[in-house]
Amino acid sequence: MRELCLPFSLEPHDIRQLDELVATRQRLKKGDILYRAGDSFASLHAVRQGSTMTTVLAEDGREQVCGYHLPGDLFGLDGIDNGRHKGQSIALEDSEICAVPLERLEELARHVPALQRNLHRFLSREIDRDHNIMLLLGSMRAEERLAAFLLNLANRYRQRGYSSTEFVLRMTREEIGSFLGLKLETVSRLFSRFQQEGLIQAQGRAVKLLDVTALKQLAGHRC
Amino acid sequence: MRELCLPFSLEPHDIRQLDELVATRQRLKKGDILYRAGDSFASLHAVRQGSTMTTVLAEDGREQVCGYHLPGDLFGLDGIDNGRHKGQSIALEDSEICAVPLERLEELARHVPALQRNLHRFLSREIDRDHNIMLLLGSMRAEERLAAFLLNLANRYRQRGYSSTEFVLRMTREEIGSFLGLKLETVSRLFSRFQQEGLIQAQGRAVKLLDVTALKQLAGHRC
DNA sequence: CGCGCCGTTGATATTATTCAAGACCAGTGG
DNA sequence: CCACTGGTCTTGAATAATATCAACGGCGCG
C-alpha cells in the first residue's frame, strides 16, 4: 500500500495499522470479474499488480467504461451509498488486487485525522477525474479524445517509473472506444491516422508516442 | 440543512452541532459566481434557495457543465484534494447558498460515525452520478440525452415536493447543450421535435412533460 | 423604445457510425 | 507441426447524426 495515496504523510505507527487493514490479496486471471453491479459492497480495492477496468451498464445492455486502473490505483467506491456496487470491475490481465474493508478504514480514519483527510482527498480526486472525462466526452472531438487518453496513460506510467512514451495497452479497441465514447472502428482509424501523421507508432496494443508536443496540442494541453 | 443528506439518521444533538457548522448564508444574484477555478477551497456548499451550475473549463476556453443543483443539493467538492477549486460555480437565479467548512465537518465526523458515513455516502453518490453522466455522454444519442435530462429533473422536483411534470428550466439552451455534450441548436431542435411528437409542451424554458412513458423509453429506462 | 441575449429554423458541411469484407494473430486440438 | 478457429484489428464505402453557418423573430431588461 505504500505507493497509494492513503498513507501519505501518515505516522509510521498509523501506516502499520493501515497495512493491517488490507485483509485479502486476491489473484485474478485475465477477464475475471472482481465484482458485478448489484454485488454487496464492503471494501475499496487497490491494484497491486496488473490492471482492471470499471464499467457501468445501462438497462439496454450498453456499457460505458468508467475507469482504467493501474498498479497503485484505488477504485470501487461506487456502492458506499447503499452497500451495493453500481458498476462492475474486470481484470484486464492476470492481476493481484487488495481489498480494504471500508468499515475498518472509517474506524481508523476517525482516530487518524491525516488518514481521514487523505481518504477525502482521494474521493475528491476521483470526482475531479470524472469531471475531466465529462469534459472529454462532452466537448472534445474523436482525435482529441484519443490524444488525451494516450497522454493520460503516459503521465501515469511516468509517475510509476515506467517509460512514458512506450507502453502496451491492455484494452481492446472496443474498450478504448467505450471509454472515449467512440466506436471501435473510429478508434482503429485514429490509431492508423496518428501513425501516418507520425504522432505515434503502433502495432496492435503496443504504442510508442513519437510526437508528444503535437499530441498535447491536439488534446488542448489538457494533459 | 434538514433536507440534506448529511443529517440523515443522526441524533438530534448531533444535528444541532451540524447546524452550528453552517457558518455563512450567502445571497447570490443571477449570474454571480460563487467560486472560480483556482479559488481557495474551504467549504462544501448547499443550495438553500435558487439553483446553481458547476462547470469545468478547458485551457482553450471550452466549458463543460458538470452539475445543476437544486435546493437541498450539496456541491463543490472538487478542491478537497489540493485546497483549490478545479471548477467554478455560478448562480442560475437569485439564490441563497450555505457554506459548510470542511475542516469543522471532518472534525465533527470524527466524533459522529453516522455523520462520517453520510459524508462518504454523499461523496459516493456524487461519483455514481458522474458515472451515469459519463454513460449518457459516451453512449447515448442526442434525443436520449435530452429525455434523460428531463426525467432526471422530473425526479428531483418530485423528491422536493414540486410538480414532476411541469417546471421551469433555469439554464439556457446553450448551457443544457454543454451539460449534454450537444450544441445549442441541437437542443433547440430537440425541444421542437419533442413538442411536435407530443412528448412535451415547451415555450422557452417552461416545460411540461406530456408523455413520461415515451420519454422513459427514449432514455432507455435510465431514469 | 431599443438593444442585446436568447431561441428557432433552414441549408449545408463535417464528423462519426454502420455495414461489410478481409487480414492478422494466438491459442487449440488433431 | 500444422490447420483451424474465434477474437481482434484494419480498411473502405455508404449512411446517419450532429455541427456549423446564417438569418431572423421575440422577449426582457435597462
Side-chain angles (χ1 to χ4, degrees), chain B residues 141-142 183 185-186 189:
Chain B
R141 293 161 358 94
K183 293 295 160 187
E185 295 95 330
T186 305
R189 280 183 237 276

Side-chain angles (χ1 to χ4, degrees), chain B residues 87-110:
Chain B
Q88 75 170 10
S89 170
I90 188 167
L92 290 168
E93 57 191 308
D94 293 0
S95 302
E96 200 179 326
I97 309 295
C98 300
V100 187
L102 179 68
E103 208 147 312
R104 295 180 58 198
L105 183 61
E106 286 178 331
E107 158 76 19
L108 188 56
R110 262 178 258 136

